[in-house]
Amino acid sequence: MYSGLQGRRNMDPHGDDDGGCEVVETQELWDGKEIRRYWSEVSVSVTDDKSFSTTQPLLLKRRNTTSQIAIVGSNLYSIESLDYEIAENELFKQDWRSKKKKQIFQYVLLKWAFALLIGLGTGLVGFLNNIAVENISDFKLLLTTNLMSEQRYYTAFAAYAGCNICLAVAAGALCAYIAPAAAGSGIPEVKAYLNGIDAHSILAPSTLFVKIFGSILGVSAGFVVGKEGPMVHTGACIASLLGQGGSRKYHLTWSWLRYFKNDRDRRDLITCGAAAGVAAAFRAPVGGVLFALEEAASWWRSALLWRAFFTTAVVAIVLRAFIQFCSTGNCGLFGLGGLIMYDVSSAEAIFSAPDILAVIFLGVIGGLLGSLYNYLVDKVVRTYSIVNEKGPVPKILLVLTIAILTSCCTYFLPWSAKCIPCPEDITVSCPTVTSGNYKAFQCPPGHYNDLASLFLNTNDDAIRNLFSTGTKKEFQISSLFIFFVAVYFLGIVTYGIAIPSGLFIPVILAGACYGRLIGRLFETISHLDTGLFALLGAASFLGGTMRMTVSLCIILLELTNDLLLLPLVMIVLLISKTVADIFNKGVYDQILKIKGLPYMEAHAEPYMRHLVAGDVVSGPLITFSGIEKVGNVLHALRTTGHNGFPVVDEPPFSASPELCGLVLRSHLLVLLKGKNFTKEKVMCGREILGTFCASDFAKAGSGKGIKLEDLDIEEEEMQMYVDLHPITNTSPYTVVDSMSLAKAAILFRQLGLRHMCVVPRSQRQTDPIVGILTRHDFMEEHIFGLYPHMDPHKLK
């Protein structure tokens, strides 16, 4: 046992919104100004006893010191957990016993029907996203090209930058005023939700609206961002919308919709939505399933695998149908490549020992550049949060600044490149007018500007140009270096502004560029095509930033249609991830940390082995009797933010005090609103079971649940009693107070709990329960707040 446990102080009274341990005599902190001040002023150093002020710039030492609040969009909100555990109370058991085969069949059928709808909806949004981006971008680029062909260079820049600025401001305004939670990739938020974290508006309909249209506007504005991350968030939002359990407002109140009014089924739907988002973004159905399994989901089972696979298959069919429809050219450029976005199968993938050495070198470089990328993104996002928290106007001004910077780089940097004569042995036109490998820019007829071919294109077309095979000398080494440096740093400074922005495309762009550059440098000893080097470079950079392996490998193979390159892609991903893990965590894990979302890892931290469950439980403990006075219940609900309370039976209802179970705040509100009260302290479970049904206590959709303000309890009713037994979960998960905190954390994470009851090891103790553990009790902010002298680096 860690020897520095003496002098333990009580937990922050506002540090446990889910459990039943709190100092109730203190004032709540949950209004916005108090939260903001709490975030800014309270801080504890975990490695020594010195405190530092978090009012310093985020770039230096500012950090969140409580897992109770997190950044959603750019605002601070309190965080709650999701109820993945089934509350096995009398109402639930009665409902389960009364279920007929017809209802069970409806439930199973509805799961598959919703998976179908998620696939159809996400596939349709993916198609509209692609067609909108490509047509808007083509109009902008065609206008710029026509003006340049007339040698009206300043007018061309004004038109190009003006289009970018208008699109960027529109995207920023949508995020700033309608749905701040839609900013960024969205993958960290989806990952947090599937881990059991319920944050404000991350899957709301307004977030879905802004995610779709903000992504179209942001990508069309020429930012170095992708639509792939936002598509994952979009798929999750569509799934969440379907899983709301109906709507009274729109008269969707069919009884069979109530099956999904719980967090467990919504979690499965949102997992399918995340898989569908990847499938729609990359046209990679198998990669979408593996992405959900490897990166997004915290809990997985075989039945969910089947439904996720079905959902992504539906997405692939929808996209293929629209591709066939658009094959005549009526939809812009969408659909020209089938389901393969960057086909490199024409290149010969034969490799030897020198090629393996080049690939190993690529993996090491990818790991180093990826870890540096994550470090810089961390600093930039922390810095931008200082601007973003000042309100909508500063957010839009920041978007405007980055839009001007991006427009200047993409228009003026190609002037530094020399004009290159068009190759004579090509089958495509040179120079090309809109998208393509050979942009004329300022060059005379018969020549092209290789740097303009990368900058003045959509991001997808730039990647397609870099992946092109059989074009070894198409891009000069100097042009590749300039483009890499520009894209690398533009991708960093763009992430964190108030637009929907994915990280996949910037990373693939930069990786493909330095991969092709290394291919040119190794051309004397390697026989691999430079286009294949570009693919391997993209894989190495993805591995160095995202830290995924299996899903990225399959996504890249589905993107490029080259199975023969599988061994090299596997090698480069493994090496880059291994190298990058030495320095820091993956980019999505870092963003979760920056936002303050209390994500529970699958493993326990080493310092947890030196503590036991009882060490992080703080008091006093708020419990209810099995038959409790209405006034006491109402007072506890008003003075605490807890969502779970232990229920203890005492004589004469039991021989000695014993833990009856756990009751949820939401269930108490429903019970109090029904006013099944008695003047005497007697059990009246049968009357309550006859008055309510299990669906009355099902979790409502977003913002639809009963609130404390909805209760109308009269003064004389405050002295009456209410029987809590029918709604008490009689089988909560419990651990003894002497269990190691590491073991308790693993159990908590693997079972997907919201509450874990801690009971005394000794039977001689009069109290049947010591306290309640929630996810916040396993966070380092809480643990090192209790024990500021603990040094996590020495406790390994």
Side-chain angles (χ1 to χ4, degrees):
M1 184 66 59
Y2 175 59
S3 60
L5 301 186
Q6 301 94 317
R8 183 183 67 172
R9 61 184 176 83
N10 276 344
M11 183 184 67
D12 166 38
H14 316 285
D16 181 20
D17 78 309
D18 283 328
C21 301
E22 181 172 344
V23 181
V24 297
E25 288 79 15
T26 55
Q27 182 184 358
E28 290 292 307
L29 280 178
W30 292 131
D31 68 89
K33 292 181 180 178
E34 290 295 328
I35 288 178
R36 195 175 299 275
R37 187 164 71 240
Y38 184 66
W39 176 283
S40 301
E41 294 176 358
V42 181
S43 89
V44 178
S45 172
V46 298
T47 55
D48 54 39
D49 199 27
K50 297 177 182 178
S51 297
F52 53 75
S53 172
T54 57
T55 56
Q56 299 178 61
L58 287 173
L59 199 59
L60 299 177
K61 292 183 177 180
R62 189 176 180 186
R63 55 173 296 175
N64 185 12
T65 58
T66 172
S67 59
Q68 294 293 318
I69 53 177
I71 302 175
V72 181
S74 57
N75 300 320
L76 296 175
Y77 293 96
S78 59
I79 295 298
E80 292 187 4
S81 298
L82 297 167
D83 289 304
Y84 290 152
E85 182 187 357
I86 296 175
E88 294 184 350
N89 51 41
E90 289 301 321
L91 280 165
F92 169 81
K93 293 174 183 176
Q94 176 179 275
D95 180 68
W96 183 255
R97 287 191 294 264
S98 64
K99 280 187 182 296
K100 299 177 181 178
K101 289 184 178 180
K102 178 184 176 182
Q103 293 173 307
I104 296 173
F105 176 75
Q106 282 180 341
Y107 172 62
V108 174
L109 183 64
L110 203 60
K111 282 185 176 182
W112 290 95
F114 275 16
L116 173 66
L117 292 175
I118 292 167
L120 290 172
T122 309
L124 179 61
V125 170
F127 164 72
L128 295 175
N129 197 316
N130 275 278
I131 194 173
V133 167
E134 289 176 354
N135 283 286
I136 294 172
S137 299
D138 280 350
F139 170 79
K140 176 185 69 178
L141 294 172
L142 183 61
L143 175 63
T144 306
T145 303
N146 290 338
L147 289 171
M148 291 201 68
S149 64
E150 300 171 5
Q151 297 187 346
R152 299 167 60 187
Y153 300 126
Y154 292 109
T155 307
F157 172 70
Y160 177 73
C163 290
N164 285 345
I165 288 170
C166 290
L167 293 167
V169 169
L174 284 175
C175 275
Y177 287 105
I178 298 178
S185 167
I187 292 178
E189 286 80 1
V190 173
K191 187 175 176 178
Y193 185 92
L194 294 177
N195 190 256
I197 301 168
D198 190 11
H200 179 77
S201 296
I202 59 173
L203 298 175
S206 59
T207 304
L208 172 62
F209 172 80
V210 174
K211 208 73 183 184
I212 294 172
F213 292 99
S215 177
I216 292 172
L217 294 169
V219 176
S220 302
F223 286 118
V224 184
V225 297
K227 52 186 179 292
E228 287 68 24
M231 272 306 303
V232 174
H233 198 176
T234 298
C237 287
I238 292 172
S240 176
L241 197 61
L242 289 171
Q244 292 298 306
S247 170
R248 292 180 183 175
K249 181 179 179 181
Y250 299 105
H251 306 290
L252 301 175
T253 55
W254 300 299
S255 60
W256 46 267
L257 282 175
R258 74 175 187 270
Y259 296 140
F260 292 92
K261 297 180 76 171
N262 64 82
D263 287 329
R264 289 173 66 88
D265 286 319
R266 288 175 188 166
R267 175 188 68 189
D268 291 351
L269 289 175
I270 289 165
T271 303
C272 292
V278 174
F282 292 108
R283 308 180 209 172
V286 180
V289 176
L290 292 175
F291 174 86
L293 171 61
E294 183 179 5
E295 181 66 13
S298 294
W299 295 279
W300 195 266
R301 59 186 190 280
S302 57
L304 182 57
L305 175 67
W306 280 102
R307 284 204 301 279
F309 187 71
F310 172 70
T311 307
T312 57
V314 171
V315 173
I317 293 169
V318 170
L319 287 176
R320 186 61 191 168
F322 281 116
I323 286 167
Q324 293 286 355
F325 172 75
C326 296
S327 59
T328 57
N330 294 326
C331 305
L333 298 178
F334 179 75
L336 296 183
L339 283 177
I340 307 300
M341 293 178 69
Y342 313 117
D343 197 336
V344 298
S345 59
S346 59
E348 212 173 327
I350 299 174
F351 45 88
S352 57
D355 299 321
I356 300 293
L357 291 176
V359 168
I360 292 173
F361 179 72
L362 257 181
V364 174
I365 294 296
L368 294 173
L369 289 174
S371 59
L372 177 62
Y373 192 90
N374 290 0
Y375 174 80
L376 295 176
V377 164
D378 180 281
K379 300 304 180 186
V380 167
V381 171
R382 289 178 185 274
T383 305
Y384 283 174
S385 67
I386 299 174
V387 178
N388 289 335
E389 69 183 9
K390 296 184 183 299
V393 174
K395 288 183 187 178
I396 297 173
L397 290 176
L398 180 59
V399 171
L400 177 63
T401 303
I402 302 300
I404 294 172
L405 173 65
T406 304
S407 299
C408 290
C409 289
T410 54
Y411 185 83
F412 290 115
L413 283 177
W415 289 90
S416 63
K418 297 179 181 178
C419 293
I420 304 172
C422 290
E424 297 179 357
D425 56 343
I426 59 171
T427 57
V428 297
S429 61
C430 179
T432 52
V433 179
T434 53
S435 62
N437 289 40
Y438 307 101
K439 287 275 190 177
F441 201 61
Q442 88 289 10
C443 296
H447 292 72
Y448 74 97
N449 186 313
D450 60 340
L451 202 49
S453 302
L454 297 173
F455 274 121
L456 290 178
N457 250 326
T458 62
N459 292 332
D460 283 352
D461 284 329
I463 294 171
R464 193 173 285 111
N465 292 346
L466 289 168
F467 280 4
S468 61
T469 56
T471 55
K472 183 179 291 186
K473 304 291 185 181
E474 178 184 346
F475 300 104
Q476 301 176 79
I477 291 178
S478 59
S479 297
L480 289 171
F481 180 77
I482 292 171
F483 184 72
F484 166 70
V485 173
V487 166
Y488 188 89
F489 288 103
L490 283 175
I492 291 169
V493 300
T494 304
Y495 195 82
I497 63 177
I499 62 167
S501 53
L503 279 171
F504 271 98
I505 288 299
V507 169
I508 292 175
L509 258 180
C513 191
Y514 78 70
R516 195 173 183 102
L517 180 61
I518 290 176
R520 289 291 304 274
L521 297 176
F522 278 82
E523 62 186 357
T524 56
I525 63 170
S526 176
H527 301 291
L528 281 178
D529 191 278
T530 51
L532 299 184
F533 264 105
L535 170 59
L536 293 171
S540 71
F541 202 20
L542 282 168
T545 53
M546 311 291 181
R547 313 294 164 85
M548 293 179 279
T549 52
V550 180
S551 56
L552 283 179
C553 184
I554 300 304
I555 287 172
L556 288 171
L557 293 179
E558 288 186 283
L559 273 175
T560 57
N561 194 31
D562 194 354
L563 192 61
L564 295 176
L565 213 59
L566 175 62
L568 297 184
V569 173
M570 293 173 68
I571 291 171
V572 81
L573 280 170
L574 288 170
I575 293 174
S576 61
K577 173 178 164 44
T578 303
V579 171
D581 279 340
I582 298 172
F583 301 99
N584 50 33
K585 291 186 176 182
V587 64
Y588 296 134
D589 293 324
Q590 289 192 174
I591 293 169
L592 282 170
K593 191 72 175 175
I594 293 170
K595 290 178 176 291
L597 294 167
Y599 186 86
M600 286 202 70
E601 299 287 352
H603 61 276
E605 296 296 333
Y607 60 80
M608 290 184 178
R609 301 192 194 103
H610 300 267
L611 298 169
V612 296
D615 290 333
V616 296
V617 171
S618 302
L621 179 66
I622 298 175
T623 63
F624 292 138
S625 299
I627 301 173
E628 186 61 80
K629 189 174 287 188
V630 174
N632 293 343
V633 176
L634 201 59
H635 179 264
L637 294 178
R638 284 173 176 169
T639 56
T640 73
H642 302 331
N643 285 288
F645 300 88
V647 177
V648 177
D649 271 337
E650 298 174 337
F653 300 101
S654 62
S656 60
E658 62 180 30
L659 179 63
C660 178
L662 194 76
V663 64
L664 299 179
R665 167 184 284 263
S666 58
H667 292 182
L668 287 171
L669 291 172
V670 175
L671 186 63
L672 291 177
K673 191 171 179 63
K675 295 191 174 184
N676 282 80
F677 307 147
T678 59
K679 293 184 178 180
E680 303 295 330
K681 195 173 184 179
V682 294
M683 299 181 72
C684 55
R686 289 186 179 180
E687 289 80 357
I688 292 176
L689 291 175
T691 305
F692 295 98
C693 60
S695 60
D696 294 327
F697 294 88
K699 185 166 183 177
S702 302
K704 301 175 186 174
I706 297 176
K707 298 179 176 60
L708 193 60
E709 298 77 26
D710 299 330
L711 300 181
D712 183 21
I713 307 295
E714 297 178 3
E715 188 63 34
E716 61 181 26
E717 293 173 327
M718 299 286 279
Q719 302 302 318
M720 299 177 74
Y721 294 91
V722 59
D723 188 359
L724 304 182
H725 290 99
I727 64 168
T728 299
N729 179 8
T730 55
S731 55
Y733 288 95
T734 60
V735 297
V736 294
D737 56 1
S738 59
M739 176 183 283
S740 75
L741 190 61
K743 191 173 182 179
I746 292 172
L747 282 174
F748 193 95
R749 167 65 159 72
Q750 289 179 345
L751 295 172
L753 302 182
R754 184 176 188 177
H755 306 99
M756 177 182 278
C757 296
V758 181
V759 297
R761 181 179 59 174
S762 173
Q763 299 298 323
R764 297 178 224 172
Q765 292 191 19
T766 56
D767 294 329
I769 182 169
V770 175
I772 291 180
L773 293 179
T774 69
R775 73 171 50 242
H776 303 289
D777 297 308
F778 296 102
M779 296 295 116
E780 66 176 32
E781 292 86 3
H782 170 63
I783 294 172
F784 293 125
L786 292 174
Y787 309 111
H789 297 285
M790 285 181 64
D791 188 343
H793 303 291
K794 294 180 180 179
L795 297 177
K796 292 185 179 180

